[in-house]
Structure formats: structure tokens, C-alpha cells
């Protein structure tokens, strides 16, 4: 347990104050010790790992910031399928890279996504036509109250678009410790996303797992969605907002005449949040008070030398602008932690 630790360097956006206490946990026992300490001291807890989807308040976090660093990868093959288990603290792109190198298909389109493996089930990470819910088979987690371990099946995770039970009804109840996926040996990629298909064709049409991974990373790099210290546009938490899903009735009555890109969604219509942001008056490159929109991706709010407060003020302004013009309320994908007195 370390006191008074700066949090900004532990995040991809590089913002936030200091943690009253930081616990770096490499196994379940250390997680239990950190949670027990917080309970004894009556302190709030904020769990994070890779720091790619979290923004800490300028005032810091007056509690215990628990950094999940459980590592280790195991695999076993049966009937042409690979069961791949990874510790929650394993860098996600490293897991994808290993699978691709071994010829195990199913997560190649999720290449280049920053953060840890344990974070992928929480928001059902997805990109370019794939999401982890398709291949995930189970999640091991630690109950933050009882300190007992529990295993969840894919069905029990209750996945939805960029969400799961760990983000909804069980938010802040469990700490994920390990995630298991079922991948296919020499499985050919399914290219479902037009932009990715175009990139693959431009590269010669190679549909090997390695080629698809390369194309995905190439696309993400063009959008500054690969963490790169030399690229100021990558000082973000990736997409700050999710694509909103509205009812068919709302779409027909309010948005049918607008050229907003749409996608199929269960029970409604999914809209392009990036289009809504740009057409509500917030173009790429827009900057205000040390925070701005990426030059390469309309959904990435970038740290341009400001503070967390600047990023959150811009996010609020964007939300109000989109709602005023289109009647659609954007939902934040990023986690905002700490107000100087614990969780917001």
C-alpha cells in the first residue's frame, strides 16, 4: 500500500490528481488485503488497470485506488478449438497478438485496443464487427464485499452493446481476475465492417489473421486510437461516448430526414455518435480551455494541456449541443473517478 501517489501517469489521457492510497495487486490475495484495508479505514475504492478508460478528478482520489495487475496466460486445445485464459492485468493487445501469432481466430479485429484484459468484459469491448461477447466463455471475479471468488458464464455476464452486468446492476461489486475465451484454430476472419474490408482490399486482399490484425491497427493508428507518445491526439480515453440507440418511432419522427449513419440494433436504431457530435458544432480539432476533439476521431476528447475539469466541461457542452439539436442524449463510455472525497 503506497500513500500519496500521482494518478495521471497511470492513465492514457494523463490527467488527475493523487491517490490517498495506491494498491498494486498482482494476485487475489493482494486484492483481498487492499479491500480489507479500505473497509477498516472506511475509504472508498476505485479499481482500474490499464488506465485507458478512466479519468481521475483534478482533486485526486481520497480513497484506495486499486491497480489490478494479475498476469498469466494459459491455453489448451480440444477438437480444433482453443480455450485461452488470461489474467485481468494482462495488456489486452498482447493477448490478441499472441492469439493471432498462434493462428487462433476470433479476436483479431479487436487488435490495437489499449487497456487490460479484465476491462474487456465490463463494457463488452468491440470494434470492426467483433466484440468479446462472441468468444468469451467465462469470467472469474472477486466479490468486493464477501471477498469470495465467483465464476460467471457468458450468459450470466448479460452482455449488451458496450455493457454487461459488471457495468449495470453489479457495477462496483466485483473485481475481475481472469477472462477465458474460446477461439478457433486456423479460423478465417469474418470481415463484417465495410471500412475494414476497404482497408484490407487496399493492402492486397490478404485475409490471414496477421493481415487483418495489421489492417485493424493501421485503421486505428490513422484515427489516433493506438496509444503513441509521439501522437498528441492519442492522449485520450478512446471513444468518450457510445453510439446511442433510439427507438424506431423516435428515429422516424425526429431523425428520418437527417443523413446520420445508422446501424441495426435490437429494439431500435443505432446512430453514429461521431456524426452527431460533428454536426452539432464540434468538428475534429475543436479545442477549448486545454481540452479538444481529436483531429482524427470525433469521439475522442483529447488532453491538450488542460485539466480533468476542462475535459468534463467540454464533454458536457457536447452532450447539451447534441441533445438540443437532435434530441439525443449521448452516454459516456469513459469512467470518471474521484471528486476529492471519493467516488462521484
Amino acid at each position: 500500500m503506497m500513500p500519496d501517489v500521482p494518478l495521471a501517469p497511470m492513465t492514457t489521457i494523463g490527467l488527475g490528481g493523487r491517490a490517498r492510497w495506491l494498491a498494486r495487486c498482482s494476485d487475489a490475495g493482494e486484492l483481498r488485503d487492499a479491500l480489507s484495508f479500505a473497509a477498516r479505514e472506511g475509504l472508498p475504492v476505485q479499481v482500474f488497470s490499464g488506465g485507458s478508460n478512466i479519468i481521475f478528478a483534478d482533486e485526486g482520489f481520497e480513497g484506495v485506488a486499486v491497480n489490478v495487475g494479475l498476469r498469466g496466460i494459459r491455453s489448451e486445445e480440444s477438437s480444433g478449438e482453443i480455450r485461452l485464459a488470461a489474467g485481468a492485468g494482462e495488456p489486452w493487445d498482447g493477448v490478441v497478438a499472441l492469439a493471432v501469432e498462434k493462428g487462433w481466430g476470433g479476436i483479431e479485429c479487436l487488435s490495437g485496443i489499449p487497456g487490460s484484459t479484465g476491462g474487456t468484459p465490463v463494457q463488452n469491448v468491440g470494434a470492426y464487427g467483433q466484440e468479446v461477447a462472441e468468444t468469451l466463455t467465462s469470467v472469474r471475479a472477486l466479490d468486493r464485499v464477501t471477498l469470495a471468488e465467483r465464476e460467471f458464464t457468458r450468459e450470466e455476464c448479460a452482455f449488451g452493446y458496450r455493457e454487461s452486468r459488471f457495468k449495470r446492476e453489479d457495477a462496483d461489486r466485483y473485481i475481475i481476475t481472469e477472462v477465458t475465451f474460446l477461439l478457433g484454430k486456423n479460423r478465417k476472419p469474418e470481415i463484417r465492417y465495410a471500412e475494414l474490408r476497404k482497408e484490407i482490399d487496399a493492402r492486397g486482399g490478404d485475409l490471414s489473421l496477421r493481415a487483418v490484425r495489421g489492417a485493424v491497427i493501421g485503421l486505428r493508428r490513422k484515427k489516433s486510437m493506438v496509444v503513441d507518445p509521439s501522437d498528441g491526439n492519442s492522449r485520450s480515453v478512446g471513444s468518450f461516448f457510445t453510439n446511442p440507440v433510439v427507438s424506431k418511432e423516435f428515429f422516424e419522427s425526429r431523425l428520418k430526414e437527417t443523413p446520420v449513419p445508422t446501424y441495426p440494433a435490437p429494439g431500435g436504431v443505432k446512430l453514429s455518435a461521431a456524426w452527431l457530435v460533428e454536426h452539432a458544432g464540434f468538428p475534429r480539432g475543436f479545442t477549448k480551455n486545454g481540452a479538444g476533439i481529436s483531429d482524427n476521431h470525433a469521439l475522442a476528447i483529447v488532453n491538450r494541456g488542460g485539466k480533468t475539469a476542462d475535459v468534463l466541461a467540454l464533454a458536457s457542452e457536447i452532450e447539451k449541443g447534441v441533445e438540443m439539436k437532435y434530441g439525443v442524449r449521448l452516454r459516456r463510455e469513459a469512467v470518471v473517478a474521484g471528486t476529492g472525497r471519493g467516488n462521484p
Side-chain angles (χ1 to χ4, degrees):
M1 198 76 66
M2 296 178 285
D4 194 32
V5 178
L7 291 163
M10 305 178 71
T11 68
T12 55
I13 199 168
L15 292 173
R18 306 174 79 87
R20 181 173 178 183
W21 295 99
L22 174 70
R24 293 185 181 273
C25 303
S26 59
D27 58 42
E30 291 178 348
L31 285 174
R32 290 189 178 94
D33 289 344
L35 293 172
S36 297
F37 172 84
R40 287 196 306 272
E41 299 296 321
L43 295 172
V45 171
Q46 178 61 55
V47 178
F48 72 110
S49 187
S52 63
N53 195 49
I54 191 167
I55 305 175
F56 286 100
D58 296 312
E59 299 87 350
F61 185 71
E62 280 293 323
V64 180
V66 175
N67 185 245
V68 179
L70 283 73
R71 304 295 287 266
I73 298 176
R74 299 177 287 106
S75 64
E76 63 178 49
E77 179 181 347
S78 178
S79 302
E81 292 184 315
I82 308 297
R83 197 168 294 274
L84 178 67
E90 284 289 341
W92 171 246
D93 193 51
V95 174
V96 179
L98 172 66
V100 168
E101 185 65 26
K102 295 286 188 179
W104 303 337
I107 53 176
E108 59 282 344
C109 292
L110 305 179
S111 293
I113 297 175
S116 66
T117 299
T120 62
V122 176
Q123 60 190 51
N124 186 17
V125 164
Y128 297 107
Q130 279 185 347
E131 56 185 21
V132 296
E134 297 174 26
T135 50
L136 183 148
T137 60
S138 64
V139 169
R140 292 191 65 81
L142 187 71
D143 190 307
R144 288 168 55 160
V145 177
T146 67
L147 304 185
E149 285 192 278
R150 177 176 172 182
E151 184 166 318
F152 297 87
T153 65
R154 177 193 302 168
E155 291 71 25
E156 289 173 329
C157 290
F159 289 118
Y161 170 62
R162 300 296 176 269
E163 65 175 13
S164 67
R165 70 182 297 158
F166 308 111
K167 194 173 180 178
R168 294 190 314 266
E169 61 267 29
D170 283 334
D172 297 329
R173 179 176 175 183
Y174 295 100
I175 299 177
I176 293 174
T177 58
E178 185 180 73
V179 187
T180 301
F181 301 90
L182 190 64
L183 307 177
K185 188 174 182 181
N186 299 317
R187 179 188 298 170
K188 292 187 177 181
E190 292 183 42
I191 310 303
R192 308 167 185 163
Y193 205 82
E195 185 183 20
L196 178 56
R197 167 63 69 180
K198 184 177 179 180
E199 180 72 13
I200 290 171
D201 289 344
R203 291 168 175 247
D206 187 350
L207 288 176
S208 67
L209 293 176
R210 289 185 183 180
V212 171
R213 171 173 165 78
V216 168
I217 291 177
L219 284 173
R220 293 186 65 85
R221 196 174 296 281
K222 291 177 185 176
K223 300 175 182 180
S224 297
M225 287 298 191
V226 174
V227 176
D228 181 351
S230 67
D231 181 0
N233 283 297
S234 72
R235 296 180 69 191
S236 73
V237 288
S239 295
F240 202 93
F241 305 105
T242 61
N243 290 324
V245 177
V246 300
S247 68
K248 294 179 181 178
E249 293 75 17
F250 178 88
F251 178 79
E252 291 291 329
S253 64
R254 292 290 303 272
L255 299 171
K256 187 176 181 180
E257 301 304 318
T258 67
V260 57
T262 62
Y263 314 94
V269 180
K270 186 188 299 182
L271 310 175
S272 168
W275 188 95
L276 294 171
V277 169
E278 290 198 87
H279 288 80
F282 303 94
R284 301 179 193 188
F286 178 93
T287 299
K288 187 174 183 179
N289 298 330
I293 297 174
S294 167
D295 297 328
N296 303 314
H297 196 302
L299 289 188
I301 299 181
V302 177
N303 170 15
R304 300 220 188 271
K307 298 180 178 181
T308 296
D310 299 322
V311 168
L312 299 183
L314 178 56
S316 295
E317 188 175 342
I318 291 170
E319 290 165 349
K320 291 175 183 176
V322 169
E323 186 168 23
M324 183 176 296
K325 187 165 184 179
Y326 297 107
V328 176
R329 184 70 177 178
L330 294 179
R331 188 177 68 168
R332 298 181 182 184
E333 187 168 348
V335 174
V336 179
T339 60
R341 293 175 294 176
N343 289 326

